[in-house]
Amino acid sequence: MTTNVIFKYMRLNFLFLICIIFSISSIDAKGFLRTNGTKIVNDNGEVLLRGIGLGGWVLQEPYMLQLSGDAKNQTDIRRRIYDLIGEEKTSEFYAAWIKNGVRKADIDSLAKWGFNSIRLPMHYNLYTLPIEKEPKKGEDTWLESGFLLTDSILSWCKANEMYLILDLHAAPGGQGNDLAISDASDVKLWNSAQNKAKTVALWKKLAERYKNEEWIGGYDILNEPNWGFQDSEDLNGNREELNAPLRQLYIDITKAIREVDRKHFIVISGNAWGNNYKGIFPLWDDNMVISFHKYWTYNNDQSIANFLEYRKQYNAPLWMSESGENSNTWHTNAIKLFEHNDIGWCWWTYKKMGFNCVMEIPTNPEYEKMKAFWKGEGARPTPEEAYKGLMQLADDYKVENTHFKRDYVDALFRQVKTTATKPFHNFFLKEKMPLVINATDFDLGRNGYAYFDKDTADYWVSSGVKGFGNKGRVYRNDGVDIMPSDDSSSNGYCIFSIEADEWLQYTFSARKQGSYKINISTKAVDGEGSLYLIINGRKTPIFKTSGSTTDWSVLEVRYINLKKGINTIKVHFVKGGFKMSKIEIKR
C-alpha cells in the first residue's frame, strides 16, 4: 500500500470518526429545558412543547376501560379482576398490560407523528410502598422496578430527541376528591405528615436519579389537586388560608429537589383540577413553569386570560399540561389558541378504549361479558373466560393491535396550520372497477372545509349546555355523527342524525376522464330525506332518498362527468331523517 493510499485511508477514517462524534454530540446539543423569563428554552432557543400524556398505562382510570360508574379507581378495578381470576392471574394481566402498553415502537410512532414531548403520569406505588406497608414507620422503601420502567421510557425518548416530563398523577394518600385520578380510597395526603414526607422524598429520589438527564424535560410535581383547603385546619388545629397547604407542599418538594438538582424546571398546578391559583403565588424558584388544564370551555383569549396575566405578572412560562376529551374541532381551535399565545401543550390521552384518542384499544367478547357482569346486566364469567378476555385486552394494548385515529392526529397538527383538506384514504377510481367510499371516510380537515356539521364540540363548562360532536362516539372524532351500521357491504359504520344544510366532502383520483354514475346507500329513519351533489364545483338537481326504514336502498345519480386526476364530491343534505353508509362510483 503506497503512502498516498495510506494517507487517504486514514483521512477517510478520521472524517468518519468526526461524523460519528458530531452525530452523537448533536443528540445532546440541545441541552436541558429551562425557563428564560416567560419562555421555555434549551441551548438552541425557545421550545414550544407539543406533547401527549400516557394516561391509562400505569394508572388506570375507569373510563379508559369503559368502566365509568362501575369501578371507582384502579384499586377497585384490580379488586374486581382478582374476584374473577385470583391473585396470580391478576398479577400476570397487569404485568402484560404494563409490558405491552408503552414500548419503543410507541415512542417512535409518537415522534413520527409530530410530538416532541411526553408526559408520564406516575403512580407513587411503582416507586415506593404506601406508608401503611412500610416495614419501619417513617422510612421509605424504594422499588427499583418503577425506576427501571421510567429509565426505559427515557431511553426511547432520548433516541427520538423527545423530552420526558415526569408527572406525579397519584400521590401518596391521594391529592383530592376525584379518587379515580389519584387511585385513592380516601384523601389522606393533606392531613398526613407521613404521606407529605413520602411525597417530598419521592421527588428528591427521582431528581437525584435523573439530575443529569437532559431529555428529562421537567418535574410536574402534583397532578390536579382538588381539595377544599379553605375548610381545612393544619395539624395543630389552626385555620389555614385558601390553598396554603398546597403552596407549602410545593415549596417543600422544590426545596428537596433543589438539594440535588438545580437544572430541571419544576411545574406547578393550581387547585381545582389544576386551575385555582389563589394563595399559590408568588413563585419561590427561578426555574418554574405555571401549568393549567383546559376542558370543555370556549377557545378564546378570555378562557385563558387569567393564566396570561399570571405569566406576565410573575415572569414565568405557561404550559397547558392536559387537555382533550373533545372533538377534533375543539382540539384544533384550542391548539391554535395556545400556539398563538406561545403556550406549549400536552394532549390527553394516547391510548384508551373508546374514541377521541390517538390509538383506540379494541374490545373482545370475553371482556364485554365481564363489563356486563360488573354492571349487573349479565352472568358472571368463568375464570377461564375472564382470563382470556383480559389477556386479549393486554395483547391488544400493543401499538400494532390498536386502531390508529388519523383524523385525531391530523387535527392536532396539520389542521392547526391550514384550512386545506386531504383525502381520508388515497382513493383511486380505476377504469373497469367501481370505487367504494364508505360514508364515514369523508375528507380530513376543519369543519366548514372538509365537512359541515351543526354540533361540532362540547363547551358545557362555558355554556352550561352539553354538546356532543360525534353523537355516536365511534370511528372518528370529527363533529359528524357516526354509528354502527347493519349494511354488510360497508365498513360497519354509517352517518346518522343528519340535519338540513350539513354536508360531507370526498376527494378521490380517477384514472380516466368520462361519464360515471354514483350510487349512494341510504336507509330512512324518519321518512324520506333529500340531498344534492356538487361534483368538481357543479351542482346536481335535488334527489329524494328512500323512505324504507328496514332496507338499505340505493340512490342512483347518472351521467356524472369526472376528470382525469383529482375529483371532489360534496354531498349536501337538504332534508335529514336518514342514514348514509357508502358511495359507489362506477361506469
Side-chain angles (χ1 to χ4, degrees), residues 234-249:
D234 67 16
L235 296 177
N236 297 318
N238 299 315
R239 214 69 184 156
E240 296 190 290
E241 295 179 4
L242 181 68
N243 291 334
L246 180 57
R247 174 182 165 88
Q248 188 58 54
L249 181 61

Side-chain angles (χ1 to χ4, degrees), residues 152-405:
S152 296
I153 302 291
L154 176 59
S155 70
W156 302 329
C157 286
K158 277 184 184 180
N160 285 285
E161 299 193 24
M162 300 174 74
Y163 288 106
L164 178 65
I165 297 174
L166 305 184
D167 152 40
L168 186 54
H169 223 76
Q175 65 264 32
N177 289 314
D178 196 334
L179 303 180
I181 292 173
S182 57
D183 189 28
S185 58
D186 194 7
V187 184
K188 299 177 182 178
L189 173 61
W190 303 110
N191 295 320
S192 167
Q194 286 184 323
N195 277 320
K196 289 180 184 177
K198 183 173 280 288
T199 302
V200 172
L202 174 57
W203 272 115
K204 184 173 183 178
K205 188 74 172 177
L206 288 163
E208 192 170 28
R209 189 179 186 101
Y210 298 115
K211 61 186 177 183
N212 294 318
E213 294 290 350
E214 294 187 7
W215 293 104
I216 290 288
Y219 304 133
D220 189 351
I221 57 179
L222 192 63
N223 175 69
E224 291 190 345
N226 51 100
W227 185 248
F229 296 112
Q230 64 270 30
D231 298 322
S232 69
E233 296 180 348
D234 67 16
L235 296 177
N236 297 318
N238 299 315
R239 214 69 184 156
E240 296 190 290
E241 295 179 4
L242 181 68
N243 291 334
L246 180 57
R247 174 182 165 88
Q248 188 58 54
L249 181 61
Y250 284 171
I251 290 173
D252 293 343
I253 292 171
T254 304
K255 180 180 178 182
I257 289 173
R258 292 302 183 225
E259 288 176 1
V260 296
D261 180 358
R262 300 205 60 84
K263 298 174 182 176
H264 290 101
F265 65 60
I266 290 173
V267 180
I268 58 170
S269 301
N271 194 9
W273 293 273
N275 296 329
N276 176 0
Y277 275 90
K278 291 181 180 178
I280 301 296
F281 298 119
L283 299 178
W284 51 91
D285 188 85
D286 61 2
N287 195 14
M288 300 191 80
V289 173
I290 302 168
S291 77
F292 65 98
H293 292 184
K294 193 176 193 297
Y295 287 103
W296 310 298
T297 57
Y298 293 139
N299 288 313
N300 53 31
D301 286 343
Q302 184 179 353
S303 70
I304 60 170
N306 55 328
F307 302 110
L308 295 173
E309 181 59 31
Y310 296 153
R311 177 171 69 181
K312 179 180 178 182
Q313 183 175 355
Y314 299 108
N315 194 35
L318 293 176
W319 179 44
M320 198 299 301
S321 55
E322 191 181 301
S323 187
E325 302 294 353
N326 215 311
S327 70
N328 287 341
T329 294
W330 194 94
H331 294 172
T332 297
N333 289 335
I335 292 174
K336 284 173 61 183
L337 174 67
F338 301 145
E339 297 199 355
H340 175 74
N341 287 283
D342 293 322
I343 300 171
W345 49 266
C346 185
W347 234 241
W348 188 265
T349 185
Y350 173 41
K351 292 180 184 176
K352 66 176 183 178
M353 302 187 76
F355 85 145
N356 65 26
C357 57
V358 179
M359 308 298 291
E360 181 180 356
I361 308 166
T363 189
N364 61 74
E366 291 78 17
Y367 184 68
E368 288 299 310
K369 190 170 183 178
M370 293 170 62
K371 285 167 52 183
F373 170 66
W374 288 334
K375 291 178 183 293
E377 299 173 354
R380 180 186 178 95
T382 66
E384 292 76 18
E385 287 175 323
Y387 176 73
K388 179 182 177 182
L390 288 165
M391 295 310 290
Q392 183 64 56
L393 195 67
D395 191 63
D396 287 339
Y397 199 21
K398 295 175 180 176
V399 64
E400 62 266 29
N401 295 333
T402 53
H403 301 318
F404 174 52
K405 301 298 184 177

Side-chain angles (χ1 to χ4, degrees), residues 3 63-64 75 118 147 174 195 250 320-321 323 370 473 503:
T3 302
Y63 84 95
M64 294 185 178
T75 297
I118 287 173
F147 294 98
N195 277 320
Y250 284 171
M320 198 299 301
S321 55
S323 187
M370 293 170 62
R473 303 184 72 80
W503 53 264

Side-chain angles (χ1 to χ4, degrees), residues 90 132 155 171 206 302 312 316 388 407 423 436 477 486 548 568:
T90 298
E132 297 84 2
S155 70
L206 288 163
Q302 184 179 353
K312 179 180 178 182
K388 179 182 177 182
D407 60 294
V436 175
N477 197 43
D486 58 358
S548 172
T568 61

Side-chain angles (χ1 to χ4, degrees), residues 438-442 451-453 470 474-476 479-485 490-499 502-504 506 521-523 525 552 571 573 577-583:
N438 293 301
T440 55
D441 293 346
F442 53 91
Y451 66 93
F452 175 70
D453 195 276
N470 177 356
V474 293
Y475 195 71
R476 287 179 68 162
V480 179
D481 303 311
I482 300 173
M483 66 179 290
S485 167
S490 73
N491 63 347
Y493 297 97
C494 66
I495 307 297
F496 81 110
S497 191
I498 294 169
E499 297 184 49
E502 295 181 336
W503 53 264
L504 303 167
Y506 302 87
S521 295
T522 67
K523 180 191 277 191
V525 176
W552 287 93
V571 182
F573 304 112
F578 65 96
K579 298 182 285 189
M580 184 173 79
S581 64
K582 69 180 183 188
I583 298 171

Side-chain angles (χ1 to χ4, degrees), residues 8-51:
K8 185 177 181 180
Y9 177 79
M10 291 175 64
R11 183 172 178 272
L12 287 172
N13 277 277
F14 175 75
L15 290 173
F16 179 67
L17 180 61
I18 290 296
C19 287
I20 291 175
I21 292 170
F22 179 79
S23 176
I24 293 171
S25 63
S26 67
I27 295 176
D28 297 325
K30 296 184 178 181
F32 289 89
L33 282 186
R34 56 194 179 274
T35 66
N36 182 7
T38 61
K39 307 293 186 182
I40 294 175
V41 302
N42 61 18
D43 290 351
N44 293 343
E46 184 178 355
V47 175
L48 188 71
L49 294 172
R50 297 182 173 100

